[in-house]
Amino acid sequence: MDAVLAGRAAALAARLAELTGGATRIQEINRGALVLCTIDPIDSEDAWVDVQDALDDADTWSVQGRGPGPEPRVLRAELRSADPGSG
């Protein structure tokens, strides 16, 4: 993972942790990075808008899982490297 992509992923992970209070993890994937964040249901529309704004830098994102309980909800954001030769 190149330094620019690593910085983008770290910034997104920090912002999501701040907004959701969830635990975050960054994984390197082929030509990109995956930012995972466990989240509780977001009750406020304003809070959800803030999360979506934070995800503007992501190439794709989704929410998986049912949560709360044994299967937590996970916000999955994928960032792709601008350099096709990296990753």
Side-chain angles (χ1 to χ4, degrees):
M1 178 179 339
D2 64 55
V4 172
L5 182 61
R8 288 174 54 210
L12 179 58
R15 183 69 177 138
L16 291 175
E18 176 187 337
L19 290 170
T20 67
T24 59
R25 184 170 84 239
I26 299 171
Q27 293 179 335
E28 186 171 357
I29 59 172
N30 189 29
R31 291 189 303 266
L34 187 62
V35 177
L36 303 168
C37 179
T38 57
I39 59 172
D40 290 325
I42 299 174
D43 298 328
S44 160
E45 187 173 327
D46 289 339
W48 183 240
V49 168
D50 290 341
V51 169
Q52 288 177 315
D53 287 346
L55 291 166
D56 278 347
D57 191 39
D59 292 297
T60 62
W61 63 270
S62 62
V63 177
Q64 301 169 334
R66 297 180 188 271
E71 185 183 345
R73 295 186 100 188
V74 176
L75 180 63
R76 181 184 189 278
E78 191 173 312
L79 302 170
R80 290 287 176 189
S81 176
D83 178 8
S86 67

